[in-house]
């Protein structure tokens, strides 16, 4: 148990040191995830090219009958989305380029990849991200999940601890609607011990 605790603490330190470049920054500003503690939750969404493009379109196009307000709502509940592009060999590739070059389909009205800039940041120092995500990728792969195709998400609470891990695409409306409850500040919620496939 002691060894497991040490490993969890070490992984928490690795997570805090991961760096991102906010999409809205006009210059190449870099911030570690530890800088977002107390103020923001971080949703890491890692998957293959099509996965990242689909997330980009879901945040930057009007896919329903009305205007897409998910980016503003995510900002309102203090969620920072970090898309992570995984190559076929599970390395971390140039996520920002994939995001910016996403081509909308006919159903993606008024698409503009910068619409969500206030709620998005891109990985900085891809080697560190690969190093951190490797355990998550291995766990999901070993459980039979299609990591590149379906993706994995990791939701980090404001205190820097992992609230939940899941596979698939984020359901923005559910995430936004339950964020205050899911934060776990008023309710005893599971943290690092929870693995993929849990409730």
């Amino acid at each position: 148990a002691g060894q497991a605790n040490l490993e969890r603490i070490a992984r928490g330190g690795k997570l805090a040191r991961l760096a991102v470049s906010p999409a809205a920054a006009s210059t190449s500003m870099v911030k570690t995830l530890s800088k977002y503690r107390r103020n923001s939750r971080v949703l890491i969404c890692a998957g293959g090219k099509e996965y990242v493009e689909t997330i980009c379109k879901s945040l930057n196009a009007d896919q329903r009958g009305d205007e897409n307000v998910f980016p503003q709502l995510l900002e309102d509940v203090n969620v920072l989305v970090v898309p992570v592009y995984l190559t076929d060999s599970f390395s971390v590739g140039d996520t920002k380029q994939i995001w910016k070059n996403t081509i909308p389909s006919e159903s993606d009205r008024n698409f503009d990849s910068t619409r969500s800039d206030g709620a998005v940041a891109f990985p900085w120092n891809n080697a560190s991200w690969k190093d951190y995500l490797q355990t998550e990728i291995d766990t999901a792969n070993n459980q039979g999940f299609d990591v590149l195709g379906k993706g994995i998400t990791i939701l980090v609470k404001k205190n820097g601890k992992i609230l939940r891990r899941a596979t698939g695409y984020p359901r923005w409306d559910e995430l936004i609607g339950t964020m205050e409850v899911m934060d776990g500040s008023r309710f005893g919620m599971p943290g690092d011990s929870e693995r993929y496939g849990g409730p």
Side-chain angles (χ1 to χ4, degrees):
Q3 183 63 29
N5 280 340
L6 289 174
E7 286 172 7
R8 194 172 72 244
I9 290 166
R11 279 189 63 69
K14 269 189 187 179
L15 178 64
R17 289 190 299 273
L18 289 176
V20 294
S21 174
S26 52
T27 58
S28 56
M29 177 198 297
V30 177
K31 295 170 83 170
T32 59
L33 293 189
S34 62
K35 299 280 189 219
Y36 290 95
R37 277 193 186 163
R38 289 189 292 282
N39 298 317
S40 296
R41 305 169 176 98
V42 177
L43 180 68
I44 299 167
C45 305
K49 180 173 181 282
E50 192 175 314
Y51 178 82
V52 170
E53 290 172 339
T54 300
I55 287 179
C56 179
K57 290 183 278 192
S58 74
L59 287 177
N60 293 295
D62 300 331
Q63 296 179 328
R64 299 180 180 183
D66 51 2
E67 182 184 352
N68 186 342
V69 292
F70 286 148
Q72 183 57 54
L73 293 175
L74 286 166
E75 287 187 70
D76 290 348
V77 293
N78 308 117
V79 172
L80 178 74
V81 178
V82 182
V84 182
Y85 162 52
L86 299 175
T87 68
D88 289 347
S89 59
F90 297 105
S91 291
V92 175
D94 188 343
T95 306
K96 187 174 184 177
Q97 183 179 2
I98 298 290
W99 190 269
K100 298 294 183 192
N101 292 333
T102 295
I103 298 171
S105 67
E106 285 183 20
S107 59
D108 298 312
R109 294 174 295 108
N110 304 316
F111 175 77
D112 175 354
S113 68
T114 65
R115 282 173 67 174
S116 64
D117 276 5
V120 170
F122 300 108
W124 185 268
N125 186 353
N126 290 344
S128 298
W129 279 88
K130 179 186 186 323
D131 182 47
Y132 177 79
L133 288 172
Q134 193 62 57
T135 303
E136 308 291 343
I137 292 166
D138 290 346
T139 299
N141 277 334
N142 290 339
Q143 293 183 9
F145 291 112
D146 176 7
V147 174
L148 295 179
K150 296 280 179 12
I152 55 175
T153 60
I154 302 166
L155 182 58
V156 184
K157 295 196 288 187
K158 289 181 179 179
N159 65 6
K161 294 209 159 108
I162 292 175
L163 176 62
R164 75 173 190 189
R165 301 164 167 91
T167 58
Y169 292 96
R171 294 186 182 98
W172 301 123
D173 41 6
E174 287 180 27
L175 177 70
I176 292 161
T178 59
M179 207 66 262
E180 291 299 331
V181 174
M182 283 175 56
D183 188 59
S185 54
R186 294 184 302 267
F187 304 92
M189 293 295 289
D192 281 355
S193 61
E194 188 173 345
R195 299 309 291 172
Y196 292 101

